[in-house]
């Protein structure tokens, strides 16, 4: 083994440590993004999106998307953006940066699960 190879191995080990550190740092980001705090109806984005924790309380004059027979069947728990089981009380929603929304809730970004 010559000196060059030794340096290269050291460099490789250093890189591995740095990369490992980077992976550890990156793995912390999703934990921050998936902060498990619930979205409040009073928040500006929630109000803009018409989010409510109880979909039966949607102002259908303001958000006609949820009016009528088809609209009455729209809930967070059957929305494509709801990252939870259909029977879970709450789950992360990507519209709200993966914060928790109510399974019985609704917002104007509702889209049917395919
Ligand atoms: S995008 Fe879907 S899951 Fe998210 S708040 Fe709106 S209706 Fe609920």
């Amino acid at each position: 083994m010559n000196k060059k190879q030794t340096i290269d191995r050291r460099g490789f080990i250093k890189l591995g440590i740095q990369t490992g550190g980077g992976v550890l740092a990156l793995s912390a980001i999703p934990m921050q993004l998936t902060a498990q705090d619930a979205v409040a109806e009073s928040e500006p984005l929630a109000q803009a999106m018409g989010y409510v924790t109880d979909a039966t309380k949607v102002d259908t004059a303001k958000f006609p998307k949820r009016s009528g027979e088809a609209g009455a069947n729209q809930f967070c728990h059957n929305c494509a953006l709801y990252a939870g089981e259909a029977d879970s009380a709450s789950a992360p929603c990507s519209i709200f940066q993966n914060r928790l929304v109510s399974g019985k809730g609704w917002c104007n970004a509702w889209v049917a699960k395919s």
Side-chain angles (χ1 to χ4, degrees), residues 51 75-76 79 81-82 93 95-96 101 105-111:
Y51 172 72
F75 295 91
C76 288
C79 172
L81 302 175
Y82 189 71
C93 169
I95 290 288
F96 293 101
V101 294
W106 181 90
C107 90
N108 204 35
W110 182 90
V111 59

